[in-house]
Amino acid sequence: MTLAGADLGELLGLLAVQRAGLALLLAAVGLPVIGVVIVGLDIMPVRFAMMHVALLGIAVGLLTGLDPMLCALAACALAGAGVAPLARTADGLSGAMGLLMSLAIAAALLLLAVSGVNASGAFALLWGSILSVGPTDLVVLGVLAVLVPGLFWWRRREIGLLLYDRELAECSGVPVRALTAALLVLVAVAVAGAIKLTGALLVDALTLLPALAARRLGGSLKSITLWAVGIGVVVNLTGFVLALWLDWPPGPVLVLTAGAVVLAVHLIPERRISSWRPTPSPESLPSSH
């Protein structure tokens, strides 16, 4: 059942709905850029591992009485930094993520079981609770919206070379280990920060899907990043309004909206599509001196 125009207007006037819309707008600025990193570094398993780590952080927050989302953010940041030394190769990182995912979910379930804490609040975040977004969530997403694009702009040449070829980046003087560690921490924190918006199971709608569509449209790291942010803004706002209008859960609607955009982009003839990893120009390479 859809809502009438007047009812939709009333909904948009509610503080909770406005906060949710602002959160999605902030998420669309920072999180699709994280998706570009995930695709570029080929670290898909990180998303799943951090979802489980976030659940462990939430369980710790429920047990100690601290803010569960802040605990989830802290847990993901520590986990991202901890696995960074293992990211020398994609295979090495995949194995570490598998181990981390198994240990985190086991620890979370054990902690919830032996502590007697009501687990419904923790598992509810698997499906998201976008209308419960509060000031703390907005601050986290606002920081990500500034920090992630800022890091990309500040280190765009080094990041571009790292995403193109890790060994070439290292030979060119790029601090590969430090930069990879910073990117992994940002990926981990971004996944945790987006959980309340779509749920842990659907976080790809805000991170990976806009990047997948953008890589078919952009011909350079800069253009891919701009496309990802633009697609993220359109998908988030359109999907949210559509969910309100249809009175459907926002998380699945956001995923389906983003998925429709990805499928539509993939219908563009191949000859019009640029390569995902364009060769960097000589002047864009960082100096090793």
Side-chain angles (χ1 to χ4, degrees):
M1 179 181 295
T2 60
L3 296 174
D7 295 333
L8 181 59
E10 292 179 2
L11 280 178
L12 293 175
L14 297 176
L15 179 60
V17 174
Q18 292 175 355
R19 281 181 175 175
L22 177 58
L24 286 172
L25 184 60
L26 292 173
V29 176
L31 300 188
V33 183
I34 293 295
V36 173
V37 174
I38 293 174
V39 175
L41 291 178
D42 193 19
I43 52 174
M44 304 293 181
V46 171
R47 300 166 8 257
F48 303 108
M50 292 308 159
M51 294 173 194
H52 292 75
V53 172
L55 183 61
L56 174 59
I58 291 169
V60 171
L62 292 174
L63 178 63
T64 60
L66 301 174
D67 189 316
M69 286 308 301
L70 290 181
C71 290
L73 288 169
C76 286
L78 291 174
V83 300
L86 302 175
R88 297 177 181 177
T89 64
D91 293 339
L93 186 59
S94 296
M97 289 297 102
L99 176 62
L100 180 62
M101 181 168 30
S102 301
L103 294 178
I105 190 62
L109 293 176
L110 181 62
L111 186 61
L112 291 171
V114 301
S115 65
V117 173
N118 186 357
S120 61
F123 287 102
L125 288 175
L126 293 176
W127 291 272
S129 182
I130 192 170
L131 294 180
S132 65
V133 168
T136 301
D137 303 299
L138 292 177
V139 170
V140 170
L141 291 170
V143 170
L144 287 172
V146 173
L147 185 61
V148 174
L151 176 62
F152 253 63
W153 177 256
W154 179 40
R155 295 290 187 181
R156 60 189 181 280
R157 294 180 178 178
E158 290 89 344
I159 292 175
L161 192 55
L162 175 62
L163 298 184
Y164 175 73
D165 189 301
R166 182 187 179 95
E167 293 183 0
L168 179 59
E170 195 163 7
C171 293
S172 300
V174 175
V176 169
R177 293 187 181 182
L179 189 57
T180 301
L183 291 176
L184 282 174
V185 170
L186 281 179
V187 169
V189 171
V191 170
I195 282 180
K196 186 174 284 189
L197 300 183
T198 60
L201 300 178
L202 302 177
V203 73
D204 287 349
L206 303 181
T207 55
L208 188 62
L209 294 183
L212 290 176
R215 73 172 185 170
R216 302 277 295 187
L217 299 172
S220 65
L221 179 62
K222 179 180 178 181
S223 63
I224 289 170
T225 303
L226 291 176
W227 271 110
V229 172
I231 292 171
V233 170
V234 171
V235 164
N236 286 7
L237 297 184
T238 302
F240 185 52
V241 172
L242 186 62
L244 292 176
W245 181 57
L246 296 174
D247 195 21
W248 288 354
V253 175
L254 287 168
V255 174
L256 292 174
T257 304
V261 172
V262 173
L263 292 175
V265 168
H266 275 69
L267 293 177
I268 299 175
E270 188 70 23
R271 59 185 175 82
R272 296 182 56 189
I273 299 172
S274 301
S275 171
W276 157 228
R277 291 185 177 180
T279 303
S281 60
E283 60 272 13
S284 69
L285 298 180
S287 173
S288 59
H289 301 290

